[in-house]
Amino acid sequence: MFPMKKLRKVSAASAAVLALALTATACGGDDGGDSGSSGGGDKKITIGIKFDQPGLGQKTPDGYEGFDVDVATYVAKKLGYTEDQIEWKESKSADRETMLQRGDVDFIAATYSITPERSEKVDFAGPYLLAHQDVLLRADDDKIKSPEDLNDAKLCSVTGSTSAQNVKKKLAPKAQLQPYPTYSACLPGLQNGAVDALTTDDSILAGYASQAQFKGKFKLGGFKLTNENYGIGVKKGSDLKNKINDALEAMVADGAWDKAVKDNFGPANYKNEPAPKIGDIKS
């Protein structure tokens, strides 16, 4: 009889240990949830921005800054997230739709122009800024006063961008395209006269011109060659769209939008359009 009693005692002890282990596992199950869960300090929101566009979305040694960053931070706060709960993720132009479709980010604010083609793949809140294709000139240039004046001018052409090619095809067929790898590389060339103009969205140009080392050296032409309606991209069917629209309207109403424009574009004397109405897409 003694061996049987001993066996029953061991079995009971083993069952107790097993029960405790299962209870601990169940209690710890929340740790495996996704980063967007509402579990206290684990609550996170992932936002896509540009990392290399001064004045809009730029990664610096001190963190992230720019107009898109300010807009995204404001929206995140309205959605219930503090700044330390934001995870910033680089969203290059060619990757944006894929990142949203895969769920890599919750939303994207990265000079993301709303177009019919993109709207087939993702949804957009906004727009939150109406930009235009423009040209950046030297501050003392008084020769280029209209797009036609770009004929015979040296125009910076950035690899992978169609902005300069569009100007040459549609407005100034005699423009001389000078190839450069990036917009940042164009700026010293513009400053020293190797090129006469740089063209892309005016908001992007204003961001570059607002950098401390270029302050007062460049000016925008103000040509408004196209309309670029910047929106905040979300996954198709996401309920975030309406919530973000509410946040954008609040940002305009309380003056935070105007402050963000002044803080990020002010040094370039950027003559921005008024804050657009939600859903008002300029063609």
Side-chain angles (χ1 to χ4, degrees):
M1 293 296 294
F2 180 76
M4 288 295 291
K5 286 182 179 180
K6 184 174 182 180
L7 180 60
R8 282 196 295 269
K9 287 180 180 179
V10 171
S11 298
S14 299
V17 171
L18 179 59
L20 285 171
L22 290 171
T23 301
T25 301
C27 291
D30 287 344
D31 293 341
D34 60 44
S35 61
S37 68
S38 57
D42 291 336
K43 183 178 178 182
K44 293 283 184 184
I45 187 167
T46 305
I47 303 173
I49 56 170
K50 293 291 181 67
F51 278 13
D52 59 352
Q53 285 186 340
L56 286 151
Q58 186 176 29
K59 183 178 182 180
T60 74
D62 299 321
Y64 302 89
E65 60 185 33
F67 181 73
D68 283 348
V69 175
D70 289 348
V71 170
T73 301
Y74 186 99
V75 168
K77 286 182 179 179
K78 286 294 185 181
L79 293 176
Y81 298 88
T82 60
E83 286 191 46
D84 62 354
Q85 291 174 325
I86 299 173
E87 179 184 349
W88 301 106
K89 187 165 286 192
E90 183 175 19
S91 298
K92 295 180 180 179
S93 295
D95 300 333
R96 290 176 297 202
E97 285 85 43
T98 302
M99 291 178 72
L100 288 168
Q101 291 169 336
R102 283 195 313 232
D104 296 343
V105 291
D106 293 295
F107 67 80
I108 289 177
T111 60
Y112 203 0
S113 295
I114 302 171
T115 68
E117 294 77 19
R118 290 170 178 165
S119 297
E120 290 178 1
K121 300 176 181 177
V122 301
D123 284 341
F124 285 99
Y128 63 92
L129 183 70
L130 175 60
H132 308 280
Q133 185 181 342
D134 199 356
V135 296
L136 191 67
L137 309 166
R138 285 184 293 279
D140 60 357
D141 188 326
D142 57 1
K143 296 178 181 178
I144 300 175
K145 298 178 180 178
S146 70
E148 290 74 25
D149 293 333
L150 293 168
N151 276 307
D152 298 321
K154 295 181 288 259
L155 187 61
C156 180
S157 177
V158 174
T159 305
S161 170
T162 60
S163 298
Q165 286 86 346
N166 288 341
V167 169
K168 182 175 175 66
K169 289 177 182 177
K170 300 176 182 178
L171 300 169
K174 295 181 181 179
Q176 304 170 35
L177 301 187
Q178 305 291 317
Y180 281 77
T182 64
Y183 292 117
S184 294
C186 286
L187 294 174
L190 180 58
Q191 186 176 357
N192 63 32
V195 294
D196 299 307
L198 162 62
T199 183
T200 186
D201 295 359
D202 53 8
S203 58
I204 297 173
L205 296 173
Y208 281 116
S210 295
Q211 295 177 93
Q213 68 268 36
F214 297 125
K215 196 173 293 185
K217 293 181 171 140
F218 302 123
K219 66 181 179 182
L220 290 163
F223 297 160
K224 298 185 179 181
L225 303 174
T226 63
N227 290 328
E228 304 296 336
N229 303 273
Y230 289 177
I232 292 181
V234 298
K235 190 173 184 178
K236 201 76 174 172
S238 172
D239 61 359
L240 278 180
K241 176 180 175 178
N242 291 333
K243 296 176 182 178
I244 293 173
N245 279 334
D246 290 342
L248 292 174
E249 289 181 332
M251 187 176 188
V252 173
D254 67 15
W257 188 91
D258 285 322
K259 183 179 185 303
V261 169
K262 184 177 180 181
D263 288 348
N264 293 291
F265 304 129
N269 295 317
Y270 175 47
K271 295 178 176 59
N272 64 283
E273 298 278 5
K277 301 291 185 183
I278 299 300
D280 184 12
I281 311 298
K282 302 293 186 185
S283 58

